[in-house]
């Protein structure tokens, strides 16, 4: 098929996550340092994600399509201190903080009952309930290790359909001494 430009907005728009029904695409916009939601319809309308002065990134729609997990830097100053937040989707509601002490790159378990994220070298897991309301347990360390990070800022792991993890282990440096 032919490539079609869906938006005409300043800066770069980086895709993050599709809604399960394929009708919405969550993206990160470099000009505003925030997320937007692109409707995949004839108008291709964009709804900015309300963020005030915060930087919102890494948006990941839940398997049931009702929740969005993302990283937020409340100071909006570009520092590395992000926390993982969950909010209703597509109509935003109250924000629920998931991480404690930092986090990036959230990813839902395929069954929607856990949320994973990275905190430095730690992979964290949080048991969650999405129905009838959202609630989350305390984060737990799932495993820790030194994994390859992409040259461009982005999630460096994925979760398989059966709940496994796919990551690239950082190579060992040669011992010359």
């Amino acid at each position: 098929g032919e490539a079609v430009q869906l938006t005409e907005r300043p800066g770069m728009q980086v895709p993050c996550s599709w809604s399960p029904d394929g009708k919405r695409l969550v993206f990160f916009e470099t000009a505003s340092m925030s997320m937007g939601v692109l409707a995949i319809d004839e108008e291709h309308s964009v709804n900015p994600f309300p963020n005030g002065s915060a930087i919102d990134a890494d948006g990941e729609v839940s398997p049931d399509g009702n929740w969005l997990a993302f990283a937020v830097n409340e100071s909006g100053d570009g520092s590395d201190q992000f926390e993982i937040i969950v909010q209703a989707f597509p109509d935003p509601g109250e924000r629920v903080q998931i991480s404690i002490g930092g986090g990036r790159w959230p990813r839902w378990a395929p069954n929607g009952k856990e949320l994973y994220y990275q905190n430095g070298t730690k992979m964290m897991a949080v048991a969650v309930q999405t129905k009838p309301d959202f609630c989350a347990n305390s984060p737990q360390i799932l495993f820790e290790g030194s994994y390859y990070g992409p040259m461009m800022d982005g999630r460096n792991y994925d979760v398989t359909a059966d709940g496994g993890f796919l990551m690239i282990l950082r190579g060992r440096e040669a011992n010359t001494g």
Side-chain angles (χ1 to χ4, degrees), residues 32-33 51-56 72-82:
S32 64
M33 297 298 285
N51 73 342
S53 62
I55 298 172
D56 291 338
V72 63
N73 175 325
E74 291 291 353
S75 68
D77 63 5
S79 72
D80 289 339
Q81 187 59 38
F82 283 81

Side-chain angles (χ1 to χ4, degrees), residues 7-176:
T7 65
E8 292 186 21
R9 299 175 65 81
M12 207 167 51
Q13 292 81 44
V14 181
C16 297
S17 178
W18 286 98
S19 61
D21 61 9
K23 295 181 178 178
R24 294 179 184 89
L25 175 64
V26 177
F27 65 90
F28 175 75
E29 189 164 59
T30 59
S32 64
M33 297 298 285
S34 63
M35 293 184 302
V37 180
L38 172 67
I40 306 300
D41 56 20
E42 295 199 13
E43 285 83 36
H44 299 238
S45 60
V46 173
N47 291 317
F49 207 72
N51 73 342
S53 62
I55 298 172
D56 291 338
D58 316 337
E60 179 75 17
V61 181
S62 64
D64 65 9
N66 294 324
W67 304 96
L68 183 69
F70 57 98
V72 63
N73 175 325
E74 291 291 353
S75 68
D77 63 5
S79 72
D80 289 339
Q81 187 59 38
F82 283 81
E83 296 293 349
I84 302 299
I85 303 293
V86 169
Q87 192 168 10
F89 183 83
D91 298 319
E94 182 180 345
R95 292 182 173 202
V96 177
Q97 184 170 329
I98 301 299
S99 60
I100 300 169
R104 291 293 305 264
W105 318 119
R107 185 76 166 110
W108 296 91
N111 64 10
K113 294 183 179 180
E114 279 190 301
L115 185 61
Y116 308 111
Y117 65 91
Q118 287 180 296
N119 182 344
T121 59
K122 299 178 185 82
M123 179 61 67
M124 307 298 289
V126 179
V128 297
Q129 170 188 305
T130 58
K131 294 178 183 176
D133 297 312
F134 183 85
C135 66
N137 289 353
S138 296
Q140 304 295 319
I141 298 173
L142 194 58
F143 55 87
E144 188 169 2
S146 180
Y147 297 96
Y148 172 76
M151 294 297 283
M152 295 292 288
D153 214 14
R155 189 179 73 219
N156 65 349
Y157 73 97
D158 207 352
V159 181
T160 63
D162 63 358
F165 283 80
L166 178 63
M167 304 180 87
I168 301 172
L169 186 63
R170 185 178 297 284
R172 297 183 190 275
E173 301 199 295
N175 185 353
T176 60

